[in-house]
Amino acid sequence: MASKSSDPMPRMTQATLAVLRALSENPIEPMYGLQISGAAGLPSGTIHPILARLEAASWLESSWEDIDPVAEGRPRRRYYRLSPAGAARAHHALDRADAAVAALRLRPAAGGAA
């Protein structure tokens, strides 16, 4: 699987976290874009730039499937999966995001009664 090395910490948006959650469900199983899109609940036009950023940061590995598009009657799919280091980073990023959400839930309301 191809991999590029660059920035180890991509931007952590809600959409990026949704993609990481989808890929983390079964980190050793490669998924193609439409599968990731469905699992993350995001349109494919949103996930592909995220996948490119994650791959550039070496969080993902990707490869093209080896098929004959004419025989299959469809284009080849690009498969993505978390790299070993990316799986650890994704786990950490998702834990941090979950902790931030939990902290917001525990915060008292501003101007609340005493």
Side-chain angles (χ1 to χ4, degrees):
M1 295 203 158
S3 179
K4 300 172 191 144
S5 180
S6 181
D7 180 14
M9 186 58 152
R11 195 174 48 206
M12 281 301 134
T13 63
Q14 291 300 314
T16 300
L17 292 168
V19 168
L20 289 174
R21 279 189 206 289
L23 290 164
S24 294
E25 288 295 317
N26 189 357
I28 62 170
E29 186 67 30
M31 296 175 74
Y32 60 92
L34 196 55
Q35 286 177 309
I36 298 166
S37 177
L42 298 168
S44 63
T46 300
I47 64 149
H48 286 287
I50 294 168
L51 293 170
R53 281 195 307 272
L54 292 170
E55 187 173 16
S58 298
W59 287 42
L60 296 183
E61 300 169 335
S62 72
S63 64
W64 287 100
E65 75 179 330
D66 188 21
I67 64 159
D68 176 1
V70 175
E72 294 294 323
R74 62 171 175 79
R76 292 186 313 155
R77 295 173 177 156
R78 187 170 186 95
Y79 282 87
Y80 300 88
R81 71 174 178 196
L82 291 166
S83 66
R89 290 177 183 144
H91 181 74
H92 179 71
L94 292 168
D95 283 350
R96 285 181 49 193
D98 291 343
V101 168
L104 287 174
R105 288 187 186 137
L106 295 176
R107 254 180 37 194

